Amino acid sequence: NVKTVETPEQMLEQMKSLEQDSTCAAIFSAAVLDYGFSEKLNEKIPSGQNSIAVKLTKRPKLIEQFLGSKLKKVAFKLLDVNQTSYTPDQIADEYIKRYSLDLIGVNAIGQTSGADHAMTFFYIANGTLASKAVTGKKAAAKFIVDFIAKKEVV
């Protein structure tokens, strides 16, 4: 069931409604909402300007609104390996704990092109961090569906 929204507030409202129906899982993929414009202009910006300064402010993460939720939570993390000393499994373990995730897909800049889209999914199995590497968006989607449906994923 796909719901169309235009603002972060609408997205949060729609996602909170999921807990009221028979939805069993939510996929959190809203990185574009990490920052928003500090102010909204109500007029046209004149053309011919050499530069325009835009100020962004950090927004609350939507996933934080669902920490105590009954929903199975799936999230994603794109890493820039040049900006972190953490490994994908360390990042995944931290995010699983911080956001009470059931599944997280982690990939790195440079691994995200077209059909060759590579991602490693991490989850807790028998009390330890487990992982499954997949290649391709269809394979990632199938893995997520199988995981949520509790089919064999390893």
Side-chain angles (χ1 to χ4, degrees):
N1 191 3
V2 176
K3 309 234 179 189
T4 302
V5 297
E6 294 182 14
T7 68
E9 294 77 21
Q10 290 173 342
M11 181 181 285
L12 179 58
E13 184 180 313
Q14 289 293 329
M15 292 184 74
K16 283 188 173 183
S17 75
L18 297 176
E19 292 188 298
Q20 310 309 317
D21 62 23
S22 61
T23 303
C24 67
I27 298 175
F28 294 86
S29 182
V32 297
L33 298 179
D34 285 351
Y35 291 89
F37 294 106
S38 297
E39 76 181 77
K40 182 179 179 181
L41 298 178
N42 292 319
E43 70 270 353
K44 180 186 180 298
I45 298 171
S47 60
Q49 295 183 6
N50 289 335
S51 65
I52 297 172
V54 176
K55 184 176 179 186
L56 301 175
T57 55
K58 188 160 181 54
R59 290 187 170 152
K61 287 193 159 292
L62 291 181
I63 198 168
E64 290 175 344
Q65 303 292 317
F66 296 87
L67 290 177
S69 172
K70 66 178 173 70
L71 296 170
K72 291 181 184 176
K73 293 184 286 297
V74 179
F76 300 90
K77 181 67 178 168
L78 176 64
L79 298 179
D80 182 345
V81 292
N82 297 318
Q83 293 185 355
T84 183
S85 60
Y86 295 103
T87 62
D89 59 319
Q90 290 171 320
I91 295 285
D93 190 50
E94 175 192 338
Y95 274 61
I96 287 170
K97 291 173 183 168
R98 182 188 306 170
Y99 299 118
S100 301
L101 299 176
D102 296 283
L103 180 67
I104 184 168
V106 179
N107 58 2
I109 292 175
Q111 295 180 316
T112 56
S113 61
D116 294 332
H117 193 101
M119 180 175 294
T120 302
F121 285 98
F122 293 90
Y123 52 95
I124 302 298
N126 300 320
T128 61
L129 188 66
S131 65
K132 170 77 174 175
V134 299
T135 301
K137 292 179 182 179
K138 285 183 180 179
K142 182 180 181 335
F143 183 83
I144 292 168
V145 169
D146 289 350
F147 183 89
I148 291 169
K150 295 240 184 235
K151 295 180 182 173
E152 185 63 36
V153 294
V154 285

